[in-house]
Amino acid sequence: MRAKSNAPRFRQERISRAIRRRIASATRRGFQIVQFSIQQNHLHLVVEADDRKLLWKGIQRLAQRLAWDINALAHRHGSLWRDRYTRRDLTSPRQVRNALVYVLMNFRKHAIDEVDYALASMTLDPCSSAFWFDGWDTRAGPLLAALRRELEETNLLESPVSRARTWLLRAGWKRHGLMLATEHPRLAG
């Protein structure tokens, strides 16, 4: 979901908190958000839905409520979203693993320069669901501990995401290995 160019930056603390709250409250019967990442002007979501209609309604409801919240916080009016969301159905364990890497490590893709990239490569994204993801390789332990401290300091330890229901998101993707904290979206493959 990509915002218009005049939208506020989503990674600002009060806006990212509002987005987290809406993600946490988005679960409805047949629709739930399993993973997410908040970028400056867009969101990446991994969603489970029982059918296309529930997916469409769930995303539409989320987009509308996010627009209300973000517009109110930014003292702006009008539409927030640039266009319709982009959807990709995931049907294999490899696709799911690649999507998880893409979503959870997307902040590395958006690093502006070498310094940003170096910092991003040594951390996990606090504006994502990385902390609640249960598929990390054990070597991610120190980065998860650092992320926990950061989330504790900002009082954000409560999980905004739902536990996966489908086999592909619960276990199937793990056939291709647990996620390493050093992975990068461009290298997921």
Side-chain angles (χ1 to χ4, degrees):
M1 297 171 54
R2 188 168 298 278
K4 291 186 171 185
S5 60
N6 64 347
R9 298 294 173 208
F10 291 175
R11 289 175 73 96
Q12 294 175 44
E13 185 176 348
R14 53 194 191 113
I15 292 182
S16 67
R17 281 181 181 272
I19 292 170
R20 284 173 190 271
R21 280 192 301 273
R22 284 298 177 188
I23 286 172
S25 67
T27 298
R28 299 280 187 270
R29 186 178 181 156
F31 176 87
Q32 64 182 16
I33 298 172
V34 179
Q35 300 297 333
F36 71 91
S37 76
I38 303 168
Q39 301 307 314
Q40 290 292 6
N41 67 348
H42 63 283
L43 305 174
H44 292 285
L45 306 171
V46 177
V47 175
E48 290 179 324
D50 289 349
D51 59 40
R52 290 177 189 260
K53 185 176 180 182
L54 288 171
L55 175 66
W56 177 78
K57 283 185 169 189
I59 294 294
Q60 183 181 43
R61 182 184 320 108
L62 176 65
Q64 181 182 51
R65 292 188 169 136
L66 283 170
W68 291 339
D69 291 350
I70 293 168
N71 281 343
L73 287 168
H75 307 291
R76 70 182 295 276
H77 300 283
S79 63
L80 176 70
W81 304 109
R82 190 170 78 184
D83 50 23
R84 187 180 172 278
Y85 68 92
T86 303
R87 181 183 107 201
R88 181 169 297 138
D89 294 337
L90 306 174
T91 59
S92 73
R94 171 71 68 195
Q95 285 180 323
V96 171
R97 188 183 191 289
N98 289 347
L100 290 169
V101 170
Y102 189 84
V103 169
L104 295 175
M105 301 305 210
N106 198 264
F107 75 116
R108 291 180 178 163
K109 181 179 171 191
H110 295 287
I112 295 170
D113 55 30
E114 289 180 28
V115 174
D116 282 351
Y117 184 77
L119 290 172
S121 67
M122 296 184 297
T123 62
L124 296 175
D125 189 2
C127 290
S128 77
S129 54
F131 181 71
W132 300 279
F133 178 63
D134 66 357
W136 292 110
D137 180 275
T138 56
R139 290 170 282 189
L143 293 180
L144 286 168
L147 181 56
R148 178 184 182 85
R149 286 190 299 275
E150 185 173 345
L151 294 172
E152 279 177 336
E153 288 172 9
T154 55
N155 200 24
L156 289 172
L157 273 180
E158 189 173 331
S159 176
V161 291
S162 299
R163 294 190 60 76
R165 294 180 318 209
T166 61
W167 174 80
L168 277 173
L169 273 168
R170 262 191 349 268
W173 70 270
K174 293 177 184 175
R175 289 181 170 186
H176 298 286
L178 295 176
M179 193 177 309
L180 300 170
T182 56
E183 293 194 59
H184 187 284
R186 285 184 230 140
L187 302 178

